[in-house]
Each structure stands twice: as C-alpha cells, then as structure tokens.
Amino acid sequence: MAQSIGTISFPHASPRIHRAPGSWWGFALFALLTPLVLLLAVVLAVQLAYNGRIFPGVSVDGVPIGGLSQAEAAWLIEESLRLSPNEQIEIRAAEHVWRLPVGQLGVRPDTETVLARAYAAGRSEPFWKRPFTWWQMIQKGYDIPPVYTVDEDAIRVLLTNAANAIARPPQDARVALVGIEVVEYPAIMGRSLDWEASEARVRTALARGQRTSIDLVVQEEPPLITSAAEAAAFIRQVLAQPLHVEATMPYWAPTSEGVVQRTRTLRLTIDQARLAQMLRIEPEQLDDGRRTWRVRLDVTALRPDLEALAARIHQPAREARFDYDPQTGVLTPLVVSQDGVELDVDAALAAVEDALRTGQSSVELPLTITPPPVSTADASKFNITGVAAKGYSTFTGSPAGRKQNVAVAAARFNGVVIPPHSEFSFNKYLGWVVDAMGYEESYIILGNRTEVGIGGGVCQVSTTLFRAAFWGGFRITERYAHGYRVSYYEPPVGMDATVYSPYVDFKFVNDTDNYYLIESEVNQRTAELTFYLYGPDTGRTVQMIGPTILETTPALAPIYTEDPSLPAGVVEQVDWARDGAKVKVERIVTDASGNQLYHDVFWSNYRPWAARYLVGTGPSAESTPVTQESGER
C-alpha cells in the first residue's frame, strides 16, 4: 500500500479523484451564490431590455405608458394631461365667487416631473427587490398622479383681489367717561383672508389638476375688545364709595410686665371726587392676544400721599444687645430687638390698583418686615461657656478729653452680638463721632500731623478690639496701621488698628457656628481698656511670631510754629518725635485637631514723625515761660 499526504491509494482499484476536506466548502459557496448570480443576471437583462423605456404596468392618471420610450411617453403624457385654456375653475371666498380660465392661471402639465417619476418606477429599489416590484406593477398597475405648473404671479393677483374684496377690519368696543356718566360703544366683528392657507390650498389644487371649485380660507377676526360693560360697571362701583388705604405695622411698647410687641394701623382715605379725577381708562393687552379696558389710578397723583405714609411707617431694624455676668452666668437683655418695617411705594400703588379692580373699599398695604441679625429670641442659642477671646490696652497719660472719648466709644460696642459666619464692622457700631454723641476734643492723627479734633482716642478702642479678634483666632478681613507709632498702643509694636469712619474700617469674620457677645470694660482709674468675647470656646490655638522690626527711619527735625493764641515765651508741644519703622507680625491659627486655619501677616509701615511745638507770640505772660505738653504719645 502506497501512502501520500491527503490521498490514500488502494491496489487493484480503479483510479479515483480524491478532494481534500476543504474543497467541500467551496462547493457549498458555489451552490449558494449561483441563485444570486442568476438573479443579478435576470435584473440586468430586464433593465437592458427596458433601457430608455417605461416598465410595464405604469400609467399616468389612468393612461397606460408601460413599454413606451421616454419620448413616446412624454408625448402621451402631454396630450392626456393638457387642459383647454378656456376651461374655467371656480374660486370661492365667503359670499364672493370668481370663475377664471385655466389659461389665465397658467395651469400647464408638468411633463418633465411626471415622466421622471414614471421612468423611476421599478428602478429605485435594491436590485434583489426589483423583480418583485415588476411583478406587482404588472399585476396591480402603478399609476402616477398628474402634476401641473401654475403661474405664481396669477395666484398672487387672485389672492390680492380676494383679500381686498372680503376685508373688513374689526372695531373694538369702547367706553368713555364724561364727567360721571359712562358711555359704551359696541364691538364689530372683522374678517380677513388667511393668505398662507389659501395660497397653499390653491397651489395644491391646481398642481393636481383639480376641476371642482376651490374654497379660499376666510377667517373671522374678532375685535380685541369685545365688550366694555365690565369696565363701565367697575367705574360706577369705584365712584360709589371712598377708598380706605391702611397699613398695619408692629412696634414695641413698654408695659408693667415688660416690653411687648403690638401693632398700630395708619390710614389714608381717598374720597369719590378725587377718585373721579384719578381714574384712567386704558387698553390692556391680555396673554391670549385680546385686549380689555383697564381702569386704574393715576400713579403720579397718588404717589405723594403714599410717600408721606411711607415716612410715617419707616422703622429701622434694631439688634438686640445683652449683658453677661460671668459670676452668675446670667444673660440680661440691654436692648430689645425690633423688626425693620418699610413701605415700598411702588408695591403700594400696585396694591391700590388691584383693590380697585376687585371692587374693594379698603386695601391693606404690603409692608416689608426685616428681622435684625440678632433678635431677643436668639439668646437661647448663645451657649456662653466663658471668655472665648480678650483684648487689652492701656491709655495711661491720656488727657481728660481722650479718656472721655475712649469710654464713649467703648460703650458703643457693649452688648453687641456677632452671629455665626457674619462679618463684624467696627464703623457700623461706632456711628457718628460728633460732640452730640458725648465725644470731646482731643488730639487726632489727620494726614501728616496731629491736630485737635472731635473723637481723639477712638483708635484705642479699635486697637483693643483688634487684639481680641487676633487672639480669638478669627479671620481678620480689614485692618490698617496708624501713620506713625503711638505710645498708647505699645508694647507690642505693630498691634494697632486705626479707623476713620466711614472710609477706614476694622473688620473680622466670626467664621464659626457660634454666637459671640462683646463686652467692654473701661477702668478710668488705672487707664485700662479690655474687650471680652463671650461664647463657646473656639478650640483654636493662636501663635504670634514677632513683632519683627525690619527697617527703621530716624525721626524728623522738630517743627516750631508761631501761635498768637499763646502768650509770648510759652512753648507748647503738640507732637512728639517718633522713628519710622516697618514692622511685621505673623499669626498662625490652628483648630482643635491641629490643622492650620490661617497664617496671617500684618504689616505696619510707620512714617518718621517730627516733634511739633507751638511758640506763643501773644501778649506776654506774667509768669516764667513754660513748656506745656499734651496730646498722644
């Protein structure tokens, strides 16, 4: 037995052809593709046979054109679809009728479009589907509807004539006020041609070769104001009685049981004679496109009355203030809170007009109630556990006026409560620094010199409060150093904060979830000022680095100024020499977990300062010349 790769031979047997196993797949593929090849051949043969001709079964408006060449089919289509130029088409619009010959409208067969559709029949499907399409066309037929072209200008002229013939504008109902008498005029319905819908209808009908009448689309146009009866009745109703305008506002009243909140009502009455003068009848556009007559008050006439009422209603919001006794833990209200009340005049005018429209004889004006940032009821949220932060400074050597000013300014902050996540502004609570508030004249820093002015010593208060916020670990958002070094604020150098309301402020943020109560303590005997921030422990640790004096500049030479108000020979010192310095103070604040919250740097650039002296040039004093000293050091 002989053996070879892929073939087995047997002795004494007839020779045979043996195929490898893979050759069976080729045979199967050949068997599968043969019908497809035959189908393609049939499709190609039919298409070649009808190349340039219409497939059987195709007709145009019932006229068979199957098997015809394109030229033959075009001639037959043209003949079968041709209309007589004198054949008339009836056009209707409302009671108007027009009979127009098709020739005037330019109605002609669109042979090219129809022929293209007929020739495409049986040729637009996939090749494998075409034999089935041909079979259905032969069995059931395939009719192409007629298509006509029209003269666009003729249609435009037709529609223009129709629109003009049926047009009738609507007329609104009207109402007029003659004195106190109301006169009404009825509405009239309008009519117009819906051009777009009519044009589409005419074009579609003519393009399809329609012989029956064509109805244009006519739409009724109702007047925008269909009746004035409601406005007339409303005017009579408004003039039947006076209009009472009322505003109810809260206020605080002292009683034997304490301060309680009550209300009072302010009233304004508008009589019928004035209402008649203020009535205005105006058209108003509604959301659905219609209009109506709106009767309102003349705003310019009523505004002065409501502005005067708003001035009577105005009530500013007042924050509550408290006193905390650290010995007993008792929290006592110092100032009872009060809601702010305002009247929006524009909103009040709108409310009056709404009341008139709804037939009311009185209207309650809307008031804006603004609760203060801290109310008396918030006391239960304070959770004071002790002193959360403290600031300290001394004003030893201050003249009497400056001591008075420190006490007055410090009292402005006593009992102030800082709500959670709010910014504290020193100038907000400081208010006006004038003699009427109890301030006296003392030396103040103004520009590049020290001068006598109202309020000298206020910066002692801002500096001390700055130190409390500094050591409390709160975020400082605004702080300015003085123009030169002041002895009252040292040591340490660089820990002062100047203010000049309303331009220069000191601010910090209570960036916690707690309330903090400010209390000031002024000891005139020891000349000490302390600020306490009562509340929960912040859990923060504050580390101060410095102060570091980076640069120094020698003081300027003394300045002598003649003063005729001082006796001759008397010299009074009003400014003291100070070296200039650039000072850096750093602060690192960490929370209870040791995470760093802030690493602040506070810079102070102090200018060198000259000593200033006033030299008397007035009448000589009887006593020996002396040198007087006063002012800040």
Side-chain angles (χ1 to χ4, degrees), residues 129-151:
K129 194 175 181 181
R130 292 179 187 177
F132 303 101
T133 301
W134 296 335
W135 174 258
Q136 290 182 346
M137 290 169 57
I138 294 172
Q139 293 296 317
K140 300 180 180 180
Y142 186 83
D143 192 60
I144 307 294
V147 179
Y148 292 86
T149 61
V150 295
D151 187 338

Side-chain angles (χ1 to χ4, degrees), residues 194-410:
D194 187 333
W195 184 287
E196 183 177 349
S198 297
E199 183 181 20
R201 180 173 292 185
V202 170
R203 181 180 289 107
T204 301
L206 295 180
R208 293 176 178 175
Q210 180 174 326
R211 270 72 166 180
T212 57
S213 63
I214 302 173
D215 292 322
L216 302 183
V217 181
V218 178
Q219 57 185 8
E220 295 286 341
E221 295 186 28
L224 297 178
I225 302 178
T226 58
S227 174
E230 184 177 352
F234 176 68
I235 294 173
R236 296 188 184 98
Q237 176 179 298
V238 169
L239 298 179
Q241 54 194 341
L243 177 66
H244 301 285
V245 180
E246 300 177 348
T248 302
M249 58 179 295
Y251 71 99
W252 292 94
T255 66
S256 58
E257 299 178 355
V259 179
V260 297
Q261 194 173 47
R262 293 178 175 173
T263 61
R264 60 174 175 165
T265 301
L266 303 180
R267 292 182 176 88
L268 173 66
T269 300
I270 306 173
D271 61 21
Q272 292 94 322
R274 191 172 181 201
L275 285 174
Q277 297 173 357
M278 297 169 61
L279 284 173
R280 298 293 182 268
I281 306 171
E282 299 175 346
E284 181 181 29
Q285 190 73 32
L286 302 179
D287 294 338
D288 59 3
R290 297 181 301 107
R291 294 192 303 171
T292 187
W293 291 113
R294 174 177 178 241
V295 182
R296 66 171 182 84
L297 285 175
D298 184 352
V299 174
T300 58
L302 189 57
R303 181 178 291 275
D305 300 82
L306 291 180
E307 287 177 345
L309 186 61
R312 296 170 58 193
I313 291 173
H314 171 72
Q315 176 176 286
R318 183 176 63 216
E319 296 182 21
R321 292 200 182 195
F322 299 86
D323 175 71
Y324 177 72
D325 187 344
Q327 302 298 324
T328 62
V330 175
L331 193 65
T332 304
L334 294 177
V335 177
V336 179
S337 63
Q338 177 175 274
D339 290 341
V341 184
E342 298 288 343
L343 172 64
D344 186 330
V345 174
D346 290 332
L349 289 170
V352 169
E353 292 187 14
D354 288 342
L356 289 174
R357 292 192 189 97
T358 54
Q360 302 177 45
S361 60
S362 64
V363 54
E364 180 71 26
L365 298 181
L367 300 180
T368 301
I369 308 297
T370 305
V374 178
S375 70
T376 305
D378 290 331
S380 60
K381 306 176 184 177
F382 292 171
N383 189 29
I384 297 176
T385 58
V387 178
K390 182 174 72 172
Y392 169 83
S393 71
T394 178
F395 49 95
T396 302
S398 294
R402 190 176 191 278
K403 291 180 179 180
Q404 169 70 10
N405 294 340
V406 170
V408 171

Side-chain angles (χ1 to χ4, degrees), residues 364-619:
E364 180 71 26
L365 298 181
L367 300 180
T368 301
I369 308 297
T370 305
V374 178
S375 70
T376 305
D378 290 331
S380 60
K381 306 176 184 177
F382 292 171
N383 189 29
I384 297 176
T385 58
V387 178
K390 182 174 72 172
Y392 169 83
S393 71
T394 178
F395 49 95
T396 302
S398 294
R402 190 176 191 278
K403 291 180 179 180
Q404 169 70 10
N405 294 340
V406 170
V408 171
R412 300 286 295 175
F413 300 88
N414 201 42
V416 170
V417 177
I418 310 175
H421 305 286
S422 64
E423 185 176 53
F424 169 85
S425 166
F426 186 90
N427 286 343
K428 172 185 174 182
Y429 297 96
L430 178 63
W432 292 101
V433 182
V434 294
D435 53 0
M437 301 299 295
Y439 291 99
E440 296 184 2
E441 288 189 342
S442 185
Y443 284 95
I444 61 173
I445 300 174
L446 186 62
N448 62 352
R449 63 185 300 164
T450 301
E451 295 184 357
V452 175
I454 298 295
V458 170
C459 290
Q460 185 88 42
V461 179
S462 58
T463 292
T464 310
L465 195 51
F466 161 64
R467 293 175 180 180
F470 180 98
W471 291 111
F474 297 106
R475 181 161 59 92
I476 311 296
T477 53
E478 187 173 343
R479 172 262 175 186
Y480 301 95
H482 285 76
Y484 68 91
R485 296 173 63 179
V486 181
S487 60
Y488 298 120
Y489 311 140
E490 297 181 12
V493 62
M495 286 293 288
D496 58 311
T498 186
V499 293
Y500 186 68
S501 181
Y503 309 107
V504 178
D505 199 359
F506 162 62
K507 298 178 181 179
F508 69 91
V509 174
N510 172 16
D511 51 347
T512 72
D513 297 329
N514 309 314
Y515 287 82
Y516 288 96
L517 169 64
I518 300 177
E519 287 205 1
S520 60
E521 183 179 283
V522 181
N523 190 325
Q524 294 286 18
R525 183 180 59 82
T526 60
E528 293 177 308
L529 172 62
T530 307
F531 269 103
Y532 299 95
L533 296 182
Y534 289 106
D537 187 358
T538 63
R540 297 179 178 183
T541 301
V542 178
Q543 177 186 359
M544 177 179 174
I545 303 175
T548 304
I549 300 178
L550 302 179
E551 300 176 8
T552 58
T553 307
L556 303 177
I559 300 174
Y560 296 87
T561 304
E562 294 182 350
D563 188 349
S565 65
L566 296 177
V570 174
V571 179
E572 180 179 345
Q573 185 173 5
V574 296
D575 256 351
W576 284 259
R578 281 287 185 176
D579 292 341
K582 184 176 183 179
V583 181
K584 175 183 178 182
V585 176
E586 296 184 68
R587 182 183 71 159
I588 299 176
V589 181
T590 56
D591 62 15
S593 301
N595 300 313
Q596 180 174 301
L597 300 178
Y598 308 114
H599 186 173
D600 303 320
V601 178
F602 299 94
W603 293 97
S604 302
N605 293 293
Y606 302 112
R607 300 193 299 272
W609 214 254
R612 291 178 180 267
Y613 298 89
L614 299 179
V615 180
T617 60

